Amino acid sequence: MESIRMDNVVDARGLSCPQPVILTRKALESGELLVEVLVDSVTSRENVRRAAEKLGCRVQVAEMDHEFKLTISR
Amino acid sequence: MATRLTRFFASRWGIILAGAVIGILAALLQQAGNPPNMGICVACFERDIAGALGFHRAGAVQYLRPEIIGFVLGATIAALGFREFRARAGSAPIVRFLLGMFAMIGALAFLGCPWRALLRLAGGDLNAVLGLAGLTMGIAIGVQFLKHGYSLGRSYSARPAVGWIMPFTMVGLLLLAVTSPEFSQDGPIFSSAAGPGSLHAGLLISLSAGLLIGILAQRTRFCTMGAVRDVILMGDTHLISGGAAMVVAALVTNLLLGQVHLGIRGQPVAHSSHLWNFSGMVLAGLAFALAGGCPGRQLFLSGEGDGDAAVFVLGMIAGAATAHNFSLAAKPDSIVEGVVAVGGLSKFGMGAVAIGLAVCLLIGFSMREKR
């Protein structure tokens, strides 16, 4: 599997809603097939998950130390 | 179990439940003694707290409202229970303070926060329509800024004390409410003898309702500003279904309790000066959108450790003091010899709304990340 380039990674840690969702949508709309989103609150995790699922994407979540990595794929 | 509960509260039924409970409790609190069409109003109640502490001396609006204390502590309890309490801060606190101040000045031009706008509607006060239209307009302006890269920047994890200051402050206020000491002759703690501040449910009732709402709202992220913003920004109706549930539940409960009085002129603790009902809420809506949450949401965030939201809350309390000390807050319609005298804003109040809009626009344009 090709390693993920940096522009596939959205670092939304510390940003309050709706910014994590806006950044995720921008990344997905730019045509990326696989986007990784880093967030540091459950609220952002749920918001990004909901927005991505609404766009028909699959979402996998990994938790590490109060931070979450969402792997979003088309 | 905790995970399933979290998924439920994050679902559409979760947010509808929270909205419905808030609507029902607001109507019941009014029945239990809170002011008419003001079973709950975050802005008004923070203003009453500012008055109780003597930060302003408007004698009619001074009372340590236990609902506000309950909102924060309920959110703290829920956040601790679900391991979500996290001290964090550092995202442009002084800007948030200013946004809080002007949000309050705008809300007091209309005489209510978004929650009360919905509750006034559910009580038959049609002035709320203009308030809600203004709120939507203000949020729509905020959305344009968000789309063009507006950001107050990141917050960072902080020492636990940062997160605990607000909950402990609320415990302190609760102690003051319970013991009601008199710090000097004719000094605080003040409690209105007449006017809206004198109308309140019993302390335990208010506190319990506040705690329950705090818990539910923390779990569901109930937010009236986010509700409108998400619809405009991305057609997402999740949060707004909570707001809709709140109006419907309050309306039904009000109908059952005989608390609906349809009209425009002479509505309780409201004025029918249309331009300023609208403009005041444009300012409030824009300030909430730029700060990322309605006044209720900011309280719940401050309860779960968000030091930036706490600064916004303090800004709102300072804004309430400013509004009443400088005669910026609206005067409600009054009935003089059987004739309704239309209330509204002083020239200072009008000027303050205009200045607030200018400052918020400046913040919106200047706090942008270049991408």
Side-chain angles (χ1 to χ4, degrees):
Chain A
M1 189 175 147
E2 191 189 348
S3 66
I4 295 167
R5 301 193 314 272
M6 273 309 283
D7 52 351
N8 286 22
V9 179
V10 174
D11 183 359
R13 287 174 296 178
L15 294 177
S16 56
C17 281
Q19 291 171 63
V21 172
I22 294 178
L23 296 176
T24 303
R25 282 168 62 106
K26 274 198 174 150
L28 287 168
E29 281 161 6
S30 73
E32 300 290 352
L33 297 177
L34 190 68
V35 176
E36 278 192 2
V37 184
L38 303 174
V39 295
D40 60 358
S41 78
V42 180
T43 308
S44 294
R45 182 192 74 194
E46 292 303 319
N47 286 345
V48 170
R49 187 212 299 263
R50 202 169 57 240
E53 284 175 349
K54 219 177 146 199
L55 290 171
C57 300
R58 275 185 308 148
V59 182
Q60 279 185 317
V61 182
E63 180 175 358
M64 26 180 198
D65 259 6
H66 293 290
E67 294 187 0
F68 303 96
K69 184 171 81 177
L70 290 89
T71 308
I72 301 172
S73 52
R74 292 263 186 194
Chain B
M1 181 67 185
T3 313
R4 281 175 65 182
L5 266 179
T6 295
R7 286 315 288 264
F8 167 74
F9 282 126
S11 73
R12 189 175 293 271
W13 284 113
I15 190 83
I16 287 175
L17 173 76
V21 169
I22 293 172
I24 292 168
L25 285 179
L28 290 176
L29 282 168
Q30 180 182 334
Q31 176 79 4
N34 277 8
N37 291 354
M38 203 196 283
I40 299 169
C41 171
V42 176
C44 316
F45 286 7
E46 288 176 352
R47 182 265 319 271
D48 292 351
I49 288 178
L53 298 174
F55 296 164
H56 69 70
R57 299 298 174 99
V61 284
Q62 299 174 319
Y63 178 59
L64 274 177
R65 295 273 177 193
E67 287 89 350
I68 300 291
I69 298 168
F71 288 171
V72 174
L73 295 180
T76 306
I77 292 167
L80 287 175
F82 286 82
R83 297 169 174 274
E84 281 179 18
F85 187 92
R86 199 168 61 83
R88 56 203 190 271
S91 170
I94 189 67
V95 176
R96 291 174 189 273
F97 186 89
L98 204 62
L99 290 172
M101 277 191 76
F102 281 116
M104 182 62 100
I105 287 169
L108 291 179
F110 164 72
L111 293 177
C113 68
W115 290 30
R116 182 166 190 242
L118 296 173
L119 293 172
R120 278 171 61 174
L121 190 64
D125 176 354
L126 296 175
N127 295 297
V129 174
L130 274 174
L132 289 167
L135 180 75
T136 306
M137 168 77 117
I139 296 170
I141 298 170
V143 166
Q144 288 309 310
F145 285 124
L146 283 166
K147 279 186 176 171
H148 290 90
Y150 168 83
S151 172
L152 288 180
R154 291 178 201 275
S155 66
Y156 298 91
S157 288
R159 299 268 181 273
V162 170
W164 279 105
I165 285 174
M166 201 60 168
F168 274 115
T169 302
M170 290 296 149
V171 171
L173 287 181
L174 183 59
L175 288 174
L176 289 177
V178 171
T179 56
S180 53
E182 194 174 298
F183 284 86
S184 62
Q185 201 183 353
D186 300 324
I189 303 295
F190 294 110
S191 195
S192 300
S198 68
L199 301 172
H200 53 80
L203 190 148
L204 269 183
I205 295 175
S206 293
L207 182 65
S208 309
L211 283 170
L212 178 59
I213 291 171
I215 292 170
L216 280 176
Q218 195 280 335
R219 294 317 302 147
T220 57
R221 335 294 182 197
F222 183 85
C223 177
T224 51
M225 184 286 297
V228 176
R229 178 198 65 203
D230 287 357
V231 170
I232 298 174
L233 184 65
M234 49 202 173
D236 181 351
T237 56
H238 176 77
L239 283 175
I240 209 167
S241 45
M246 179 178 165
V247 176
V248 172
L251 178 64
V252 171
T253 317
N254 278 336
L255 283 170
L256 291 173
L257 298 173
Q259 292 181 156
V260 179
H261 306 284
L262 201 66
I264 293 178
R265 292 279 152 96
Q267 286 285 329
V269 206
H271 67 78
S272 47
S273 176
H274 305 310
L275 174 65
W276 298 102
N277 274 330
F278 180 81
S279 310
M281 282 308 251
V282 173
L283 170 57
L286 176 55
F288 298 145
L290 294 179
C294 73
R297 178 80 184 132
Q298 303 280 358
L299 283 175
F300 308 131
L301 285 169
S302 75
E304 59 175 67
D306 187 335
D308 294 323
V311 171
F312 183 91
V313 171
L314 297 181
M316 282 195 75
I317 290 172
T322 306
H324 282 283
N325 286 341
F326 294 87
S327 306
L328 312 178
K331 292 234 179 319
D333 286 357
S334 55
I335 295 171
V336 184
E337 292 170 5
V339 181
V340 175
V342 174
L345 291 188
S346 67
K347 60 184 177 188
F348 303 112
M350 296 174 188
V353 169
I355 291 171
L357 282 169
V359 170
C360 287
L361 289 174
L362 208 62
I363 291 172
F365 279 116
S366 59
M367 303 282 302
R368 281 191 293 175
E369 287 188 351
K370 304 273 182 293
R371 287 205 276 274

